Amino acid sequence: MTMSLNLWAQAKDPAFRWAAGLAGGLGDNWDLELAASYRPVPYVGIGAGFAVMGAVSTDDEFMGTTADGVAQYSVDNTTRVAALRGELQFTTPGIKIPRQDGCSLALRLSPGVSLALPVNNNVHVTFMPNAPGVYDNHDQRYFGNHGGDAWYFHLKAQAVFTIDRFEIMAGYMFSNLDIYGGARNVSIYGKRLNLPKKSNENMVTLGVACKF
């Protein structure tokens, strides 16, 4: 009598050193990142990416009244729009999926830093008289921020499903990037903007990459 025991085995990782892909994230804000990575040794790599981002809420316009009460205003262009990212990547050996040639599952942890762009926003402000009525001519001006934080950290934790040279990545990203950080020090004639409170980013992420 013979017995057959089917165990998951460690997958052999071909010598692909480079990878490039696209990933998206969704939480309080949205994020879309084009990234590449280099893996000089098995299971350890370095990555770099360019991400565009925005607030999930479509209302990026904030209202206020000048300190003297003479005019009211609306403000837009208050959010960061992009970030440059760099990170280290630590990936576990892939576990081969039974009866699926070329398929494996691994875990990846990627700590890194982000450079928010722009560091300081020029916010667009539209003024109108603070009185009832319909006004056709509005005074429009730009106010610059100063002292915005440039560097932030992030941490990605992902499950990586490999099919031959392709990777499908699903997981979570934590970051302390402040999407309104480029406008928090804007002062409109002595009055600060009433922006949402600073909070950490928590995103569910999904991406795909090709190794070569």
Side-chain angles (χ1 to χ4, degrees):
M1 182 177 66
T2 61
M3 296 181 63
S4 175
L5 184 62
N6 188 8
L7 294 176
W8 287 32
Q10 180 176 322
K12 293 183 179 180
D13 190 12
F16 296 120
R17 295 201 172 192
W18 293 91
L22 183 68
L26 186 62
D28 293 333
N29 306 313
W30 61 266
D31 184 297
L32 187 63
E33 181 180 10
L34 182 65
S37 63
Y38 174 64
R39 299 161 191 171
V41 295
Y43 316 122
V44 179
I46 54 176
F50 175 77
V52 293
M53 63 187 66
V56 170
S57 172
T58 57
D59 184 11
D60 186 28
E61 188 172 280
F62 299 95
M63 310 292 292
T65 305
T66 55
D68 58 12
V70 173
Q72 57 181 323
Y73 57 83
S74 62
V75 182
D76 54 26
N77 193 36
T78 56
T79 62
R80 264 72 183 268
V81 297
L84 294 174
R85 289 185 179 141
E87 62 190 30
L88 297 175
Q89 297 178 347
F90 303 97
T91 307
T92 64
I95 302 300
K96 184 178 179 181
I97 298 177
R99 296 184 295 276
Q100 300 293 328
D101 291 340
C103 296
S104 64
L105 183 65
L107 299 177
R108 179 174 297 155
L109 193 66
S110 305
V113 294
S114 301
L115 172 62
L117 301 172
V119 176
N120 293 297
N121 289 56
N122 283 319
V123 302
H124 177 236
V125 183
T126 301
F127 293 93
M128 62 199 75
N130 189 23
V134 178
Y135 303 94
D136 294 329
N137 296 322
H138 297 155
D139 184 11
Q140 301 189 39
R141 302 183 185 183
Y142 285 89
F143 291 77
N145 188 69
H146 63 88
D149 292 331
W151 294 98
Y152 300 87
F153 70 85
H154 66 263
L155 179 66
K156 300 174 185 174
Q158 299 169 310
V160 183
F161 179 60
T162 299
I163 307 174
D164 295 325
R165 64 172 60 235
F166 295 98
E167 293 180 337
I168 299 173
M169 302 156 291
Y172 164 83
M173 182 176 76
F174 170 85
S175 173
N176 70 336
L177 192 149
D178 181 9
I179 198 169
Y180 295 100
R184 293 202 179 276
N185 295 327
V186 170
S187 178
I188 300 177
Y189 302 127
K191 189 174 182 179
R192 290 284 185 91
L193 297 180
N194 184 27
L195 297 174
K197 291 182 179 180
K198 182 178 179 180
S199 62
N200 295 323
E201 287 189 339
N202 296 275
M203 289 187 177
V204 175
T205 63
L206 182 64
V208 62
C210 178
K211 299 187 290 185
F212 54 93

